[in-house]
Amino acid sequence: MKIISEKYTSLQNFSETFKNSKPFPHIVFDNFLDKSFFSELDTDKFTIEKFKNAHLDTFLERNKSNSRNVDLSNKIRILVEELNSDRFVNELRKLTGIDELFQTSVGNTALSNYHEMYQSGFVGTHVDHSSEPETGYPHVLNILIYLTKHWKESWGGSTILANKNGRKIEKIVNYIPNRAVIFLHSPFTFHGVQELNNNEKKRSSVYVDYYSKNKQPYKHLNLDFKNVWFKHPATFILPGISDYFKWKNRSYLKRMFKHKIKSILA
Ligand SMILES: [Fe+2]
């Protein structure tokens, strides 16, 4: 069964585009999945909405469900397996120049490989967890694939890429069905999802992350920010300065403070 489109069998030729893209290395691939595989995906029927334990509804991650510890549908599982295959990871090494790149085996248990978002959902600007759950190796790369089959631009749900302090949106990657976005993950690659508007349809996506056995994984890249990795939890940017001083936001403040100190010392 062909899963990824023929066009993206070899990723070497996209390497320069990936490395030189701003605000940080990334690439967008349209019609990423093989046409017939994409058309057979069952994300419209499959839902994780009922798993309330994985449903997030805070003021920084609104109306979103993730699939942690939820059995994925057969098709989504096959797709995630393909993204974690040695063959594909090897292509990602060529794309990124990260020779010691590897896939995690924790899968959809400690991490969440499938996400759904509903009416007025959004994800505030953030960086993800810094480390592989079992080994602690650096988290260096993400792939997102937009799976909902029909989507209008006016419905929102674009992925945003921000500058090094997460305060300014530098790039908007619109949610277009069967589009893949691959982007570097570092302590300074802030990203998020724009709010969904007037939309009865859910926004589905697959997410797989990758790690490096090298603790200085970005050395070969020319970045607009500190070329370092350090340990940090998922860290969100709060909308306004005053938000940091609200009692309900104290855990966000704590994480941001840790991140700041570590980035100064790094
Ligand atoms: Fe993220």
Side-chain angles (χ1 to χ4, degrees):
M1 186 198 311
K2 208 189 289 167
I3 299 169
I4 294 171
S5 160
E6 199 88 56
K7 257 200 298 193
Y8 305 116
T9 313
S10 171
L11 299 183
Q12 176 80 64
N13 292 342
F14 301 103
S15 178
E16 285 309 304
T17 310
F18 173 85
K19 288 175 187 165
N20 296 324
S21 292
K22 301 289 175 193
F24 46 80
H26 71 276
I27 197 156
V28 176
F29 290 141
D30 283 321
N31 299 310
F32 182 69
L33 300 176
D34 177 72
K35 223 175 169 180
S36 56
F37 182 83
F38 184 70
S39 69
E40 287 162 19
L41 273 172
D42 42 8
T43 46
D44 294 344
K45 288 171 214 128
F46 175 73
T47 184
I48 51 173
E49 192 175 7
K50 59 186 172 184
F51 295 92
K52 291 292 179 199
N53 60 337
H55 190 77
L56 292 161
D57 210 355
T58 70
F59 91 116
L60 285 171
E61 285 184 278
R62 194 193 297 147
N63 213 5
K64 177 192 173 200
S65 289
N66 70 55
S67 63
R68 195 175 299 190
N69 293 317
V70 171
D71 284 334
L72 298 174
S73 78
N74 201 31
K75 283 273 175 183
I76 297 171
R77 194 180 46 75
I78 289 171
L79 171 57
V80 170
E81 279 171 13
E82 175 70 10
L83 299 172
N84 279 316
S85 67
D86 290 343
R87 188 207 68 78
F88 188 67
V89 172
N90 201 34
E91 289 307 316
L92 291 176
R93 288 187 192 116
K94 294 182 208 162
L95 176 75
T96 60
I98 303 173
D99 297 333
E100 293 170 70
L101 194 79
F102 72 101
Q103 64 274 61
T104 174
S105 55
V106 301
N108 194 51
T109 53
L111 298 165
S112 168
N113 290 132
Y114 174 70
H115 297 248
E116 290 180 345
M117 210 183 275
Y118 314 92
Q119 172 71 16
S120 79
F122 83 102
V123 182
T125 308
H126 68 282
V127 285
D128 302 346
H129 60 287
S130 62
S131 316
E132 205 270 343
E134 279 177 348
T135 59
Y137 280 124
H139 175 188
V140 295
L141 194 71
N142 287 339
I143 183 167
L144 299 171
I145 307 173
Y146 300 155
L147 296 185
T148 301
K149 284 184 187 140
H150 172 68
W151 197 264
K152 286 184 185 165
E153 207 182 307
S154 60
W155 292 351
S158 307
T159 300
I160 63 106
L161 308 180
N163 69 337
K164 61 185 176 185
N165 63 20
R167 287 269 162 217
K168 188 171 171 234
I169 295 174
E170 299 275 7
K171 174 138 185 188
I172 295 175
V173 182
N174 286 337
Y175 189 97
I176 292 177
N178 201 10
R179 170 174 270 189
V181 192
I182 302 175
F183 62 93
L184 189 79
H185 192 271
S186 98
F188 306 102
T189 57
F190 286 94
H191 58 279
V193 180
Q194 289 188 320
E195 187 171 345
L196 269 59
N197 308 309
N198 304 319
N199 172 30
E200 295 310 313
K201 227 170 168 166
K202 68 181 178 192
R203 176 196 189 273
S204 297
S205 60
V206 146
Y207 162 89
V208 174
D209 45 16
Y210 303 91
Y211 301 85
S212 170
K213 289 190 175 158
N214 185 338
K215 298 228 167 159
Q216 295 188 318
Y218 318 114
K219 280 285 171 214
H220 64 295
L221 296 168
N222 197 0
L223 302 172
D224 290 348
F225 41 85
K226 269 192 183 175
N227 201 319
V228 293
W229 171 83
F230 54 82
K231 219 174 147 190
H232 60 81
T235 305
F236 282 81
I237 302 292
L238 273 69
I241 298 294
S242 63
D243 292 315
Y244 287 96
F245 301 101
K246 290 177 184 158
W247 182 247
K248 64 171 184 168
N249 296 337
R250 60 195 181 282
S251 73
Y252 290 116
L253 176 65
K254 216 170 135 186
R255 287 193 247 169
M256 195 66 218
F257 187 69
K258 263 192 198 166
H259 188 281
K260 257 283 175 285
I261 296 288
K262 287 203 166 179
S263 64
I264 291 166
L265 297 176

